[in-house]
């Protein structure tokens, strides 16, 4: 981090101009935020597909399914956003999801029954299974100082391996009926999927925790400068463990949601979930270098690939194009992040606008 | 001004076979700026670490308000009102000045809000604003990340943070290094304001003009030992440089 | 320097916009005609994109659809994974085709999304694989997989009349077709006491994993005489594994399916026999059943297509048509 780099050329504004700087700043900052600009990109994509296929794409029933399919990823995305803001990474989310689903399914099968009681036990078991993997990740990263990429790459393999050991590789296809009927395919108010309502609640709670609590503040601080945080007395190790534990617990919860949606543990599935979620977080403006990011951005970042895929399928485009388009969006998003960071550290406009950067010429 | 707020009596510290501090003396009174100077390797940072609880000493005595103390951790020094602003400032570049000001010591809401980790954002902002105003700190904005601010502004924020936590002694490690002329002027002005609040300021610097400009007394370290203690108004840059390099000597006062 | 980076950014945005546009223009051929004009819109969802088995099936579907005057759009997930296939099916259903031909990637997970298509009035034909309680589908068309497994055993027995240890490398448990092939093979082995069945290993459809499994198995049991690989990627990996273990002379490998890679291995003698399905026939039958159902004619609920045993000897002659295509 070049926070010790001193900039001599920056004009020193004499005395305090705080009151002016803050007035009207909120709106301007919102317009400049990358997550907001990404939202505009999403709206443009939606508008294009709506124009091409108004009868098929621009239907409430279609949007409903897009939202439903993004719900489980959104739950994982909340935890991943926290982790990436600390400048970490969690590759194990998909495997932890499968592991937790397997353990929960086995426990529920052992207890038997189709009611809420057993379903509730399953939910708790899934969250605890995920939490255990998260704590293991966190301890290895914070205490043993193994890089997050390696730790979670390892636990990714281990969690999936244990899931296969526990089941012999054979999916468990029994889950309490209430899970599938109410959570997996149930609706609120007739059309809103329960799965999406659950995801929304978690997203909102995640956003409040990240942006308004001390836990969230420390998350940014640790990602911004671990050393500075340590010096002022933030318990960095403990905080990192908590953040990975959070991600693990959310992946575990996603495991029971997946079980509810697919009615099987889908051990062979979720193979690209980790990368899809990481891509969404990064597209949403969270910096891989830490210190920057929003939950809102992550949610928007999830919908861009989801809408692209849906739109491409509906307009009959070859399936391979979706990956190409999402890859391009990802690279542009990271490019903008890089440009913004270097601008901020030069001491210039810290939140240089995507549009100003790409559409107008910078001075000189 | 009868009792020094912080005093070191004959402290020594070995690193292997290297004698980093050799029977060194140091004292500072409330409302005073004492410059601590010395060539590279003279033991300045070892002394600062010892006095701020970051390093144990082999022998000697540290007195706080005339009472002997034994520092075992920086937290203990903090509790007594001693803070250090290191050269790298320990600011989180993505956080804004208020967030940095209270990082690690957030003011929490009462009751149930505290349980969920909610903070008193408005109160922290208001108190930060008052603290910056008091020091005449030139903080461009309370909502921009400090990483986007100039070196002088960041220094001012770091000093304001140390002062808001420490009401007795503040160590400033090379606060003017690599700053522009105007920024240096602002930082020195900030140091004077801190002193005027009755806080003792230890100013560690290589810059003799800045030492001459802001300090009340100068303590010179050479080869781990105290070479001299001088009143700034009665000395000159030439004399200080001579003492640092060993070209001239003067009895310890 | 600053400007260069800006220019680069514009380039990047432009490039992605360009991709989007080409993508869209490619796709400007969705079945324009609605069902009442007679041009039926058929959607085909593969188990995995880029697999010759499904491509051959697609060829059969397109040929049959052309004959019937219907249009076809084909989609497939990047991996054989229900969590990837479900969003795809949801999107296909939103495009409101008249018929959906689908190779389900999981018997349980895919049931609800496919049933949703049937509930929306789309005629569903299950091809190759099936789902639990497929009563909502108008027809199911697949190979006689149990018979295929038995045929694979016969091929191994032919090469090793004295018996010995045999192993199965399959994809993943829970896939109806491969499970049936394994069962057919298992039953046939159990009926013949001279053969020692070592069980089934799962490759997760990764050739690399299959190779690792086979090398490890040969390490443990160097006297394995035959390996039955239940699908394309498993066979590919199995052959690699046997070659790595330097056992190509003593192990008879029987593959299922006849993609170009398998056929090449058969020609080279790495694989001794292939049980070839008839994906093009499955596709043709599926279109016929779907259109019959749309026209209100009688539909056959279940059709089993046959298979061809390919060896080096018949490859040039009668077996040539059984080889899968990598493009139509």
């Amino acid at each position: 981090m070049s926070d010790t780099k001193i900039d001599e050329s920056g004009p020193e504004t004499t005395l305090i101009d705080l009151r002016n700087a803050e007035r009207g700043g909120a709106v301007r900052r919102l317009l400049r935020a990358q997550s907001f600009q990404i939202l505009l990109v999403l709206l443009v994509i939606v508008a294009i597909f709506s124009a091409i296929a108004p009868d098929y794409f621009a239907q409430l029933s279609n949007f409903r399914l897009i939202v439903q399919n993004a719900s489980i990823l959104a739950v994982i995305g909340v935890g991943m956003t926290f982790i990436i803001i600390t400048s970490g990474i969690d590759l194990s989310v998909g495997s932890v999801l499968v592991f937790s689903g397997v353990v929960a399914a086995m426990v529920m099968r052992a207890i038997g029954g189709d009611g809420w009681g057993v379903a509730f036990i399953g939910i708790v078991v899934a969250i605890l299974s995920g939490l255990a993997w998260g704590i293991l990740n966190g301890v290895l990263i914070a205490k043993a100082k193994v890089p997050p990429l390696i730790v979670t790459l390892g636990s990714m393999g281990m969690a999936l391996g244990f899931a296969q050991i526990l089941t012999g590789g054979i999916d468990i296809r029994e889950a309490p009926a209430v899970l599938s009927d109410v959570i997996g395919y149930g609706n609120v108010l007739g059309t809103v999927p329960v799965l999406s309502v659950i995801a929304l609640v978690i997203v909102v709670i995640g956003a409040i925790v990240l942006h308004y609590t001390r836990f969230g503040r420390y998350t940014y601080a640790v990602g911004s400068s671990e050393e500075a945080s340590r010096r002022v007395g933030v318990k960095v190790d403990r905080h990192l463990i908590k953040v990975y534990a959070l991600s693990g617990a959310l992946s575990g919860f996603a495991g029971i949601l997946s079980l509810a949606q697919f009615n099987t543990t889908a051990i062979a599935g979720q193979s690209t979930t980790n990368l899809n979620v990481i891509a969404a977080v990064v597209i949403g403006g969270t910096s891989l270098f830490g210190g920057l990011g929003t939950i809102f951005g992550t949610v928007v970042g999830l919908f861009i690939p989801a809408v692209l895929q849906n739109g491409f399928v509906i307009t009959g485009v070859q399936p391979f194009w979706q990956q190409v388009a999402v890859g391009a969006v990802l690279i542009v998003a990271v490019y903008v992040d890089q440009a913004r960071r270097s601008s901020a550290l030069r001491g210039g406009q810290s939140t240089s606008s995507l549009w100003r950067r790409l559409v107008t010429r910078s001075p000189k | 001004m009868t009792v020094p707020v912080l005093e070191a009596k004959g402290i020594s510290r070995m690193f292997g076979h290297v004698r980093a501090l050799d029977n060194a003396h140091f004292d500072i009174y409330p409302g005073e700026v004492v410059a601590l100077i010395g060539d590279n390797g003279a033991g300045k940072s070892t002394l600062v670490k010892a006095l701020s609880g970051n390093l144990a000493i082999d022998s000697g005595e540290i007195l706080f308000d005339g009472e002997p103390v034994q520092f075992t951790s920086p937290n203990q020094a903090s509790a007594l009102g001693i803070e250090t602003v290191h050269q790298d400032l320990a600011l989180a570049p993505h956080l804004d000045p208020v967030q940095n000001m209270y990082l690690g010591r957030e003011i929490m809401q009462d009751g149930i809000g505290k349980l969920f980790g909610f903070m008193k954002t408005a109160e922290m902002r208001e108190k930060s604003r008052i603290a910056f105003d008091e020091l005449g700190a030139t903080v461009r904005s309370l909502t921009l990340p400090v990483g986007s601010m100039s070196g002088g502004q960041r220094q001012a924020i770091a000093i304001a943070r140390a002062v808001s936590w420490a009401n007795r002694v503040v160590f400033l490690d090379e606060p003017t290094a690599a700053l522009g002329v105007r920024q240096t002027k602002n930082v020195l002005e900030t140091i004077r304001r801190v002193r005027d609040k009755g806080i003792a300021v230890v100013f560690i610097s290589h810059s003799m003009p800045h030492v001459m400009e802001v300090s009340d007394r100068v303590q010179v370290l050479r080869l781990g030992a105290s070479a001299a203690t001088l009143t700034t108004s009665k000395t000159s840059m030439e004399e200080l440089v001579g003492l640092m390099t060993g070209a001239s000597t003067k009895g310890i006062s | 320097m600053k400007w260069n980076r800006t220019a680069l950014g514009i380039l990047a945005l432009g490039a992605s916009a360009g991709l989007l546009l080409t993508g869209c223009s490619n796709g400007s051929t969705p079945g324009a005609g609605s069902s009442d004009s007679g041009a039926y819109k058929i959607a085909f969802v593969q188990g995995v994109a880029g697999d010759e088995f499904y491509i051959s099936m697609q060829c059969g579907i397109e040929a049959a659809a052309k004959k019937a005057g219907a249009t076809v759009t084909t989609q497939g997930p990047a991996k054989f994974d229900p969590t990837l296939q479900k969003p795809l099916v949801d999107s296909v259903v939103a495009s409101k085709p008249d018929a959906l031909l689908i190779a389900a990637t999981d018997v349980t997970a895919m049931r609800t999304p496919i049933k949703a298509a049937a509930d929306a009035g789309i005629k569903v034909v299950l091809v190759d694989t099936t789902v639990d309680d497929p009563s909502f589908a108008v027809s199911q068309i697949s190979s006689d997989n149990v018979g295929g497994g038995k045929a694979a055993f016969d091929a191994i027995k032919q090469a090793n009349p004295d018996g010995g240890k045999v192993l199965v490398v399959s994809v993943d448990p829970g896939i109806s077709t491969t499970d049936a092939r394994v069962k057919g093979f298992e039953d046939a082995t159990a009926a013949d006491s001279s053969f020692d069945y070592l069980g089934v290993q799962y490759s997760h459809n990764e050739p690399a994993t299959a190779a690792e499994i086979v090398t490890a198995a040969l390490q443990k049991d160097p006297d394995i005489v035959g390996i039955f690989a239940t699908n394309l990627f498993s066979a590919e990996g199995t052959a690699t594994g046997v070659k790595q273990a330097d056992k190509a002379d003593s192990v008879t490998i029987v593959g299922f399916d006849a993609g170009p890679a398998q056929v090449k291995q058969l020609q080279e003698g790495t694989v001794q026999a292939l049980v070839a399905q008839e994906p093009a026939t499955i596709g043709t039958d599926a279109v016929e059943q779907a259109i019959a159902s749309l026209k209100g004619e009688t539909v056959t609920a279940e059709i089993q297509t046959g298979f061809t045993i390919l060896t080096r000897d018949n490859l040039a002659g009668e077996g040539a048509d059984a080889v899968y295509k990598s493009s139509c």
Side-chain angles (χ1 to χ4, degrees), chain C:
Chain C
M1 162 74 193
K2 213 171 182 184
W3 194 85
N4 279 346
R5 197 181 298 116
T6 311
L8 196 71
I10 294 171
L11 205 71
L13 256 197
S16 44
L19 289 175
L20 275 172
L21 285 179
T22 42
C24 292
S25 60
N26 259 7
S28 59
T29 49
S34 61
S35 48
D36 50 22
S37 75
Y40 291 120
K41 235 173 86 180
I42 296 175
F44 171 41
V45 177
Q46 303 167 321
V48 58
D51 180 312
E52 282 97 359
F53 177 78
Y54 292 116
I55 293 172
S56 304
M57 194 184 289
Q58 184 186 350
C59 296
I61 289 171
E62 281 173 0
K66 199 173 174 190
K67 210 185 288 174
T71 57
V72 179
T73 48
T74 301
Q75 296 285 343
K79 295 194 84 177
F80 196 88
D81 178 345
T83 62
L84 299 180
Q85 197 185 36
K86 178 189 180 288
L88 212 57
V89 171
D90 288 345
S91 303
V92 167
V93 171
S95 71
K96 297 172 190 161
D98 298 303
L100 171 66
L101 318 183
I102 179 166
T105 47
D106 190 282
V107 289
T108 317
M110 291 312 299
R111 183 175 189 276
T112 317
I114 298 174
K115 187 170 180 298
D119 292 345
I122 299 167
K123 304 293 182 193
V124 174
V125 179
L126 298 170
V127 289
D128 187 38
T129 43
T130 185
V131 295
D132 290 337
D133 187 15
S135 51
F136 56 83
V138 296
S139 179
Q140 299 180 65
I141 297 148
S142 63
S143 306
D144 172 15
N145 283 291
V146 178
K150 189 179 176 308
F153 173 76
D154 292 341
I156 289 180
K157 190 176 178 183
Q158 211 166 14
N160 303 278
D162 302 335
K165 291 178 179 170
V166 288
L167 177 74
V168 177
V169 179
S170 191
V171 188
D172 273 303
I175 303 165
S176 57
T177 49
T178 48
D179 284 354
R181 289 169 209 167
V182 175
K183 188 178 180 301
F185 187 86
E186 260 174 22
D187 292 349
T189 321
D192 190 330
S193 58
S194 62
F195 281 89
D196 185 6
Y197 181 53
L198 295 178
V200 52
Q201 294 275 359
Y202 295 103
S203 71
H204 315 305
N205 220 26
E206 297 271 5
T209 312
E212 284 161 23
I213 288 168
V214 168
T215 351
L218 283 168
Q219 198 65 38
K220 182 166 171 280
D221 295 296
D223 52 343
I224 291 176
V225 298
I227 299 177
F228 171 38
T230 64
N231 84 334
L232 200 71
F233 288 148
S234 302
E236 214 167 279
T238 299
T240 311
V242 169
K243 215 185 233 171
Q244 278 169 359
D246 204 15
K247 293 278 185 189
D249 295 336
S250 57
V251 180
T252 306
I253 304 173
V254 176
F256 213 95
D257 294 324
Q262 274 66 35
V263 171
K264 188 157 175 279
Q265 283 173 335
L266 186 64
Q267 285 164 340
E268 287 167 355
T270 325
V271 175
Q272 281 66 45
L274 294 173
V275 179
Q277 304 181 71
E278 295 171 352
T281 312
I282 294 178
T284 315
D285 288 354
V287 172
E288 282 166 5
Q289 295 305 315
I291 285 175
S293 166
L294 285 166
K295 288 184 174 161
E297 295 163 7
T298 38
V299 178
T300 316
E302 218 166 313
I303 297 177
Q304 298 236 309
T305 56
F307 47 85
T308 313
I309 303 244
L310 281 180
T311 60
R312 244 167 138 179
D313 303 330
N314 70 0
L315 192 58
E318 68 213 87
D321 284 347
V323 174
Y324 301 172
K325 304 185 180 89
S326 45
S327 66
C328 297

Side-chain angles (χ1 to χ4, degrees), chain B residues 21-36:
Chain B
L21 284 180
D22 183 9
N23 196 29
H25 294 266
F26 180 83
D27 61 346
I28 186 163
Y29 292 85
E32 184 185 37
V33 178
V34 173
L36 183 60

Side-chain angles (χ1 to χ4, degrees), chain A residues 55-56 62 68-69 164 169 173 185 261-264 268-271 309-310 313-315 317 319 335 357-358 361, chain C residues 3 5-6 9-10 13 19 23 27 75 81 83 86-88 90-92 94 96 106-109 172-174 204:
Chain A
D55 297 339
Y56 305 119
N62 188 38
Q68 191 201 36
N69 283 325
Q164 289 165 332
R173 295 163 195 285
Y185 286 96
Q261 188 178 21
F262 292 109
N263 229 328
T264 164
Q270 310 291 356
S271 47
Q309 183 185 31
N310 175 272
V313 169
I314 285 179
T315 51
V317 176
Y335 162 73
R357 181 151 277 286
L358 296 178
R361 270 174 65 164
Chain C
W3 194 85
R5 197 181 298 116
T6 311
I10 294 171
L13 256 197
L19 289 175
Q75 296 285 343
D81 178 345
T83 62
K86 178 189 180 288
L88 212 57
D90 288 345
S91 303
V92 167
K96 297 172 190 161
D106 190 282
V107 289
T108 317
D172 273 303
H204 315 305

Side-chain angles (χ1 to χ4, degrees), chain A residues 1-7 342 345-346, chain B residues 149-151 154:
Chain A
M1 305 298 271
S2 53
D3 54 333
T4 53
K5 201 179 103 192
I6 304 299
D7 174 32
S342 59
L345 290 173
R346 273 201 309 273
Chain B
M149 298 182 179
S150 73
R154 284 187 293 205

